[in-house]
Short mmCIF file of all heavy atoms in Angstrom, two decimals:
data_model
loop_
_atom_site.label_atom_id
_atom_site.label_comp_id
_atom_site.label_asym_id
_atom_site.label_seq_id
_atom_site.Cartn_x
_atom_site.Cartn_y
_atom_site.Cartn_z
N ALA A 921 68.05 102.27 65.18
CA ALA A 921 67.04 101.51 64.53
C ALA A 921 65.78 101.45 65.41
O ALA A 921 65.78 101.46 66.72
CB ALA A 921 67.52 100.07 64.23
N PRO A 922 64.57 101.44 64.77
CA PRO A 922 63.31 101.23 65.61
C PRO A 922 63.32 99.94 66.25
O PRO A 922 63.89 98.96 65.83
CB PRO A 922 62.17 101.27 64.41
CG PRO A 922 62.88 101.71 63.14
CD PRO A 922 64.36 101.51 63.35
N TYR A 923 62.64 99.94 67.31
CA TYR A 923 62.62 98.71 68.15
C TYR A 923 62.20 97.46 67.41
O TYR A 923 62.79 96.41 67.57
CB TYR A 923 61.53 98.91 69.38
CG TYR A 923 61.30 97.84 70.22
CD1 TYR A 923 62.44 97.26 70.91
CD2 TYR A 923 60.10 97.20 70.36
CE1 TYR A 923 62.22 96.18 71.74
CE2 TYR A 923 59.87 96.11 71.29
CZ TYR A 923 60.96 95.63 71.86
OH TYR A 923 60.68 94.49 72.77
N GLU A 924 61.14 97.54 66.55
CA GLU A 924 60.71 96.46 65.86
C GLU A 924 61.85 95.81 64.95
O GLU A 924 62.06 94.60 64.89
CB GLU A 924 59.62 96.75 64.74
CG GLU A 924 58.44 97.46 65.43
CD GLU A 924 58.71 98.79 65.84
OE1 GLU A 924 59.17 99.56 65.08
OE2 GLU A 924 58.40 99.22 67.01
N ILE A 926 65.04 96.10 65.69
CA ILE A 926 66.05 95.45 66.63
C ILE A 926 65.62 93.96 66.98
O ILE A 926 66.29 92.99 67.02
CB ILE A 926 66.28 96.35 67.97
CG1 ILE A 926 66.93 97.54 67.60
CG2 ILE A 926 67.04 95.45 68.86
CD1 ILE A 926 66.97 98.59 68.59
N VAL A 927 64.31 93.93 67.18
CA VAL A 927 63.65 92.51 67.72
C VAL A 927 63.81 91.68 66.42
O VAL A 927 64.17 90.41 66.66
CB VAL A 927 62.25 92.70 67.99
CG1 VAL A 927 61.62 91.34 68.27
CG2 VAL A 927 62.03 93.63 69.23
N GLN A 930 67.35 90.40 66.48
CA GLN A 930 67.57 89.55 67.56
C GLN A 930 66.93 88.24 67.27
O GLN A 930 67.55 86.95 67.71
CB GLN A 930 67.04 90.13 68.84
CG GLN A 930 67.77 91.34 69.35
CD GLN A 930 67.07 91.95 70.54
OE1 GLN A 930 66.03 91.95 70.75
NE2 GLN A 930 67.88 92.73 71.28
N ILE A 1167 72.88 99.46 75.81
CA ILE A 1167 73.47 98.12 75.53
C ILE A 1167 73.40 97.80 74.16
O ILE A 1167 72.50 98.17 73.27
CB ILE A 1167 72.59 97.02 76.21
CG1 ILE A 1167 72.71 97.28 77.78
CG2 ILE A 1167 73.12 95.62 75.85
CD1 ILE A 1167 71.73 96.28 78.59
N GLU A 1169 72.57 96.09 71.69
CA GLU A 1169 71.62 94.84 71.80
C GLU A 1169 71.49 94.17 70.50
O GLU A 1169 70.74 93.09 70.30
CB GLU A 1169 70.23 95.22 72.49
CG GLU A 1169 69.53 96.35 71.82
CD GLU A 1169 68.14 96.56 72.53
OE1 GLU A 1169 67.66 95.57 73.14
OE2 GLU A 1169 67.66 97.61 72.39
N TYR A 1173 72.03 90.36 74.05
CA TYR A 1173 70.63 90.57 74.51
C TYR A 1173 70.64 90.43 75.93
O TYR A 1173 71.25 89.47 76.68
CB TYR A 1173 69.74 89.24 74.06
CG TYR A 1173 68.25 89.47 74.34
CD1 TYR A 1173 67.46 90.33 73.78
CD2 TYR A 1173 67.79 88.59 75.46
CE1 TYR A 1173 66.23 90.51 74.23
CE2 TYR A 1173 66.57 88.79 75.82
CZ TYR A 1173 65.66 89.70 75.22
OH TYR A 1173 64.39 89.76 75.74
N ALA A 1174 69.96 91.42 76.51
CA ALA A 1174 69.98 91.55 78.10
C ALA A 1174 68.66 91.13 78.66
O ALA A 1174 67.63 91.55 78.25
CB ALA A 1174 70.35 92.92 78.38
N GLU A 1187 60.64 94.92 82.68
CA GLU A 1187 61.44 96.14 82.43
C GLU A 1187 61.38 97.14 83.69
O GLU A 1187 60.21 97.21 84.10
CB GLU A 1187 61.02 96.96 81.22
CG GLU A 1187 62.05 98.05 80.80
CD GLU A 1187 61.35 98.99 79.81
OE1 GLU A 1187 60.69 98.53 78.86
OE2 GLU A 1187 61.49 100.16 79.93
N GLY A 1188 62.35 97.78 84.14
CA GLY A 1188 62.31 98.67 85.26
C GLY A 1188 62.45 98.01 86.70
O GLY A 1188 62.70 98.63 87.69
N LEU A 1216 67.04 97.81 83.83
CA LEU A 1216 66.99 98.16 82.37
C LEU A 1216 65.85 98.94 81.98
O LEU A 1216 64.76 98.93 82.64
CB LEU A 1216 66.81 96.89 81.52
CG LEU A 1216 67.86 95.70 81.61
CD1 LEU A 1216 67.33 94.59 80.80
CD2 LEU A 1216 69.28 96.35 81.16
N THR A 1217 65.99 100.01 81.10
CA THR A 1217 64.86 100.83 80.79
C THR A 1217 64.93 101.12 79.27
O THR A 1217 65.97 101.28 78.69
CB THR A 1217 64.86 102.12 81.56
OG1 THR A 1217 64.08 103.13 80.78
CG2 THR A 1217 66.19 102.72 81.93
N ARG A 1218 63.70 101.26 78.58
CA ARG A 1218 63.64 101.50 77.23
C ARG A 1218 63.15 102.84 76.93
O ARG A 1218 62.54 103.23 75.80
CB ARG A 1218 62.82 100.43 76.53
CG ARG A 1218 63.19 100.30 75.02
CD ARG A 1218 62.48 99.06 74.38
NE ARG A 1218 63.25 97.93 74.62
CZ ARG A 1218 64.26 97.54 73.91
NH1 ARG A 1218 64.99 98.35 73.11
NH2 ARG A 1218 64.89 96.40 74.10
N LYS A 1219 63.20 103.75 77.98
CA LYS A 1219 62.71 105.17 77.81
C LYS A 1219 63.41 105.80 76.75
O LYS A 1219 64.66 105.65 76.48
CB LYS A 1219 62.90 105.92 79.09
CG LYS A 1219 61.74 105.73 80.06
CD LYS A 1219 61.79 106.91 81.06
CE LYS A 1219 61.31 106.39 82.41
NZ LYS A 1219 62.21 106.10 83.42
N LYS A 1220 62.69 106.73 75.85
CA LYS A 1220 63.44 107.38 74.70
C LYS A 1220 64.54 108.21 75.33
O LYS A 1220 64.54 108.84 76.26
CB LYS A 1220 62.26 108.26 74.18
CG LYS A 1220 62.49 108.75 72.93
CD LYS A 1220 61.28 109.42 72.21
CE LYS A 1220 61.32 110.01 70.88
NZ LYS A 1220 62.36 110.71 70.44
N CYS A 1221 65.55 108.20 74.56
CA CYS A 1221 66.81 108.89 74.73
C CYS A 1221 67.02 110.05 74.01
O CYS A 1221 66.87 109.91 72.80
CB CYS A 1221 68.03 107.97 74.98
SG CYS A 1221 69.52 108.77 75.49
N ARG A 1225 69.78 107.44 70.20
CA ARG A 1225 69.89 106.06 70.22
C ARG A 1225 68.72 105.32 70.72
O ARG A 1225 67.98 105.84 71.66
CB ARG A 1225 71.18 105.58 70.97
CG ARG A 1225 72.46 106.02 70.31
CD ARG A 1225 73.67 105.74 71.15
NE ARG A 1225 74.94 106.26 70.51
CZ ARG A 1225 75.20 107.54 70.48
NH1 ARG A 1225 74.47 108.41 71.19
NH2 ARG A 1225 76.32 107.93 69.82
N THR A 1226 68.43 104.19 70.12
CA THR A 1226 67.18 103.32 70.50
C THR A 1226 67.55 102.12 71.36
O THR A 1226 66.53 101.54 71.92
CB THR A 1226 66.53 102.93 69.35
OG1 THR A 1226 67.40 102.26 68.45
CG2 THR A 1226 65.78 104.08 68.63
N HIS A 1227 68.67 101.82 71.52
CA HIS A 1227 68.99 100.56 72.29
C HIS A 1227 68.83 100.77 73.79
O HIS A 1227 68.96 101.95 74.38
CB HIS A 1227 70.51 100.23 72.11
CG HIS A 1227 70.80 99.81 70.70
ND1 HIS A 1227 72.04 99.32 70.30
CD2 HIS A 1227 70.09 99.92 69.63
CE1 HIS A 1227 71.99 98.95 69.09
NE2 HIS A 1227 70.86 99.40 68.51
N ILE A 1228 68.37 99.69 74.42
CA ILE A 1228 67.85 99.69 75.78
C ILE A 1228 68.99 100.17 76.65
O ILE A 1228 70.26 100.02 76.33
CB ILE A 1228 67.50 98.26 76.16
CG1 ILE A 1228 66.61 98.25 77.40
CG2 ILE A 1228 68.60 97.41 76.25
CD1 ILE A 1228 65.89 96.97 77.57
N LYS A 1229 68.75 100.78 77.75
CA LYS A 1229 69.75 101.20 78.70
C LYS A 1229 69.75 100.49 79.99
O LYS A 1229 68.76 100.07 80.48
CB LYS A 1229 69.53 102.73 79.07
CG LYS A 1229 70.02 103.78 78.09
CD LYS A 1229 69.60 105.10 78.62
CE LYS A 1229 70.11 106.30 77.93
NZ LYS A 1229 69.62 107.53 78.47
N MET A 1230 71.02 100.28 80.45
CA MET A 1230 71.12 99.75 81.80
C MET A 1230 71.64 100.87 82.75
O MET A 1230 72.39 101.66 82.39
CB MET A 1230 72.17 98.51 81.87
CG MET A 1230 73.57 98.84 81.31
SD MET A 1230 74.70 97.49 81.43
CE MET A 1230 75.28 97.52 83.17
#
Side-chain angles (χ1 to χ4, degrees):
Y923 176 58
E924 304 72 49
I926 293 169
V927 173
Q930 290 176 335
I1167 295 174
E1169 54 177 341
Y1173 182 74
E1187 187 194 322
L1216 296 179
T1217 157
R1218 204 175 273 288
K1219 272 195 212 108
K1220 198 169 180 318
C1221 184
R1225 288 177 184 79
T1226 47
H1227 291 194
I1228 200 164
K1229 275 180 170 179
M1230 61 179 273

